């Protein structure tokens, strides 16, 4: 493996959509220069004006050739594009000796390029947003705290992690699209694997496994998403902890299942052409506009009961609403991403693949930074002065909204 490529201080932020928020300001403050790329330069200029960055971040009209012409060794490319486009950008970065960052899960196509990135000295930062991102930080923190309280001996655990972007003012459809409807529908058509009653379960239609989930005094509808099982190891659960429940999933407003039944009927049919047409129709009928206020809710909890009778229970809750400057989704995605980009700019990440959450200790540091940078959440953990057998918890606001 070659040495890490020295960061140049220039950042190319690709995409000025609904997930580009005040994290871009933090990147501007940390970088020598920043360019915001979008399909049309006008949209980039509008985003910069909204964020108060006109004149300090350069707008650009994005094409691969245009980016390639300006990309220099040590630059950082931040992709806010769909996952399917990340591999092409990463390939360009490896070829030009630049670094790469995104908020998405690591696709097979990106994973295949990691050896070449390591050899080239290129940093590949992924899963550095909200979900995936902050949810991982919460999980690592809870596992670390539970292990510190109870040790690694035999225990049974219940772990749940649910995240959703929902309308701040509920509509009849119980949803507004803050990202491409085709992506939302595609996710609903993908099988989901999780642990229920101690057994691994795969559901072909995730919404059919939906349950009601109460957060404080509010009821939501939640369902499993993707494959939860690999995260048992990724979150560092001790081998002797046996999962009765382990699920990572999606959160929706109460009433979503009923409101979406016509959509589910189309999804059950599986006709790609009809589903594509449905996605276009939904995009037109239920968009999130600049005048709408969105809400992000992320709730992560861990319950551990040892074979000797000890009990530890803790959780995190992030519940925030957008404002006139930026959406809640943009805030929660772009600010943790900005922290990761800052690490790249300082030369603090190794060549090759790095996920934003890297164990309990690193996650605690990252959460403290997020709290200091305006990402509000509440931690609910056992009082440290009480015995691990105590069940009573206390809510600690880590950062005021």
């Amino acid at each position: 493996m070659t040495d890490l490529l020295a960061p140049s201080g220039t950042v190319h932020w690709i995409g000025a959509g609904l997930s580009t928020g005040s994290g871009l300001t933090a990147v501007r403050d940390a970088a020598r220069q920043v360019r915001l790329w979008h399909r049309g330069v006008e949209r980039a200029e509008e985003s910069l004006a909204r964020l108060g960055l006109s004149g300090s971040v350069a707008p650009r009209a994005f094409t691969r050739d245009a980016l390639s012409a300006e990309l220099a060794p040590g630059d950082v490319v931040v992709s806010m594009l769909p996952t399917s486009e990340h591999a092409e950008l990463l390939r360009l970065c490896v070829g030009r000796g630049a670094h790469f960052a995104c908020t998405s899960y690591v696709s097979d196509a990106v994973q295949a390029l990691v050896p070449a990135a390591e050899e080239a000295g290129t940093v590949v930062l992924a899963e550095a947003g909200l979900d995936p991102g902050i949810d991982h930080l919460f999980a690592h923190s809870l596992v670390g705290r539970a292990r510190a309280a109870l040790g690694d001996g035999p225990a049974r655990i219940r772990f749940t992690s649910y995240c959703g972007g929902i309308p701040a003012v509920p509509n009849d459809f119980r949803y507004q699209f803050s990202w491409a409807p085709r992506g939302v529908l595609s996710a609903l058509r993908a099988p989901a694997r999780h642990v229920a009653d101690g057994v691994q379960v795969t559901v072909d239609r995730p919404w059919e496994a939906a349950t009601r989930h109460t957060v404080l005094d509010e009821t939501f509808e939640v369902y499993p998403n993707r494959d939860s099982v690999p995260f048992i190891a990724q979150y560092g659960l001790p081998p002797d902890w046996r999962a009765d429940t382990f699920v990572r999933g999606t959160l929706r407003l109460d009433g979503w299942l009923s409101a979406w039944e016509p959509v589910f009927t189309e999804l059950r049919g599986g006709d790609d052409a009809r589903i594509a047409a449905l996605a276009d129709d939904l995009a037109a009928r239920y968009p999130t506009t600049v005048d709408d206020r969105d809400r992000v809710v992320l709730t992560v909890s861990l319950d551990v009961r040892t074979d000797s009778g000890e009990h530890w229970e803790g959780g995190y809750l992030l519940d925030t609403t957008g404002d006139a400057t930026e959406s809640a989704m943009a805030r929660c995605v772009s600010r943790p991403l900005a922290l990761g980009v800052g690490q790249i700019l300082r030369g603090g990440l190794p060549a090759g693949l790095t996920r934003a959450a890297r164990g309990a200790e690193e996650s605690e540091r990252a959460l403290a930074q997020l709290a200091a940078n305006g990402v509000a959440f509440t931690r609910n953990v056992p009082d440290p002065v009480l015995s691990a057998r105590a069940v009573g918890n206390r809510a600690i606001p880590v950062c005021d909204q």
Side-chain angles (χ1 to χ4, degrees):
M1 184 181 73
T2 59
D3 293 335
L4 176 71
L5 289 161
S8 68
T10 295
V11 175
H12 304 267
W13 187 291
I14 316 297
L18 292 171
S19 290
T20 291
S22 54
L24 184 58
T25 303
V27 169
R28 187 277 314 269
D29 293 342
R32 180 173 60 85
Q33 61 179 342
V34 179
R35 296 162 187 154
L36 176 61
W37 298 77
H38 198 69
R39 288 188 301 272
V41 71
E42 296 82 5
R43 177 65 180 274
E45 290 171 341
E46 290 170 3
S47 293
L48 293 175
R50 186 182 72 254
L51 293 168
L53 295 175
S54 298
S56 62
V57 171
R60 293 287 193 272
F62 175 72
T63 67
R64 187 185 185 281
D65 289 343
L67 173 64
S68 179
E70 295 199 32
L71 194 59
D75 287 1
V76 181
V77 170
V78 178
S79 177
M80 303 300 284
L81 301 179
T83 303
S84 59
E85 301 188 43
H86 289 168
E88 182 179 351
L89 284 176
L90 176 55
R91 189 175 291 107
L92 176 62
C93 289
V94 172
R96 291 302 180 90
H99 304 293
F100 177 83
C102 69
T103 62
S104 302
Y105 290 99
V106 179
S107 67
D108 291 342
V110 166
Q111 185 68 57
L113 292 169
V114 169
E118 291 178 347
E119 184 65 28
T122 291
V123 174
V124 182
L125 175 66
E127 300 184 19
L130 167 65
D131 174 5
I134 298 176
D135 58 340
H136 292 341
L137 300 176
F138 286 172
H140 278 288
S141 170
L142 292 173
V143 171
R145 289 169 181 268
R147 292 180 67 185
L150 300 178
D152 293 352
R156 306 202 71 88
I157 69 116
R158 182 179 187 275
F159 174 86
T160 62
S161 176
Y162 295 112
C163 184
I166 55 180
V169 179
N171 57 6
D172 291 342
F173 193 55
R174 316 305 283 171
Y175 191 75
Q176 282 178 297
F177 290 94
S178 59
W179 62 299
R182 293 193 186 194
V184 176
L185 300 184
S186 231
L188 284 168
R189 298 177 74 191
R193 186 168 65 137
H194 64 291
V195 177
D197 297 324
V199 178
Q200 292 185 19
V201 178
T202 298
V203 290
D204 292 331
R205 298 166 178 164
W207 72 88
E208 293 182 350
T211 59
R212 294 167 73 81
H213 188 74
T214 300
V215 180
L216 300 180
D217 295 326
E218 188 173 2
T219 299
F220 298 93
E221 294 172 349
V222 297
Y223 59 91
N225 188 22
R226 293 178 175 265
D227 187 354
S228 299
V229 174
F231 292 93
I232 295 174
Q234 187 170 315
Y235 289 163
L237 271 65
D240 286 337
W241 285 14
R242 303 171 305 283
D244 287 332
T245 299
F246 192 96
V247 58
R248 302 177 68 255
T250 300
L251 176 147
R252 295 288 182 251
L253 288 169
D254 193 24
W256 173 79
L257 282 170
S258 176
W260 274 55
E261 185 51 43
V263 176
F264 301 146
T265 298
E266 294 291 342
L267 295 181
R268 291 185 186 98
D271 185 306
D272 290 343
R274 289 181 62 178
I275 291 172
L278 173 63
D280 292 340
D281 177 59
L282 294 175
R285 293 168 61 193
Y286 304 107
T288 296
T289 71
V290 294
D291 296 321
D292 293 317
R293 297 293 173 262
D294 69 328
R295 178 185 176 195
V296 167
V297 178
L298 167 61
T299 175
V300 181
S301 64
L302 175 65
D303 185 301
V304 184
R305 299 171 187 268
T306 70
D307 289 1
S308 60
E310 292 178 304
H311 177 208
W312 189 95
E313 182 178 359
Y316 281 91
L317 173 62
L318 184 158
D319 187 348
T320 187
T321 301
D323 56 34
T325 302
E326 64 179 337
S327 68
M329 188 63 70
R331 182 187 308 132
C332 294
V333 170
S334 68
R335 292 191 189 184
L337 176 60
L339 292 178
V341 173
Q343 288 181 292
I344 298 175
L345 290 170
R346 295 191 297 272
L349 295 181
L353 177 62
T354 296
R355 291 177 170 86
R358 303 182 297 280
E361 186 175 347
E362 179 65 27
S363 294
E364 295 285 358
R365 283 196 291 267
L367 288 173
Q369 289 180 301
L370 285 175
N373 284 276
V375 177
F377 54 87
T378 298
R379 182 172 61 234
N380 192 40
V381 297
D383 192 314
V385 304
L386 299 179
S387 162
R389 289 183 173 82
V391 181
N393 289 354
R394 61 174 181 172
I396 303 173
V398 181
C399 176
D400 294 330
Q401 293 187 25

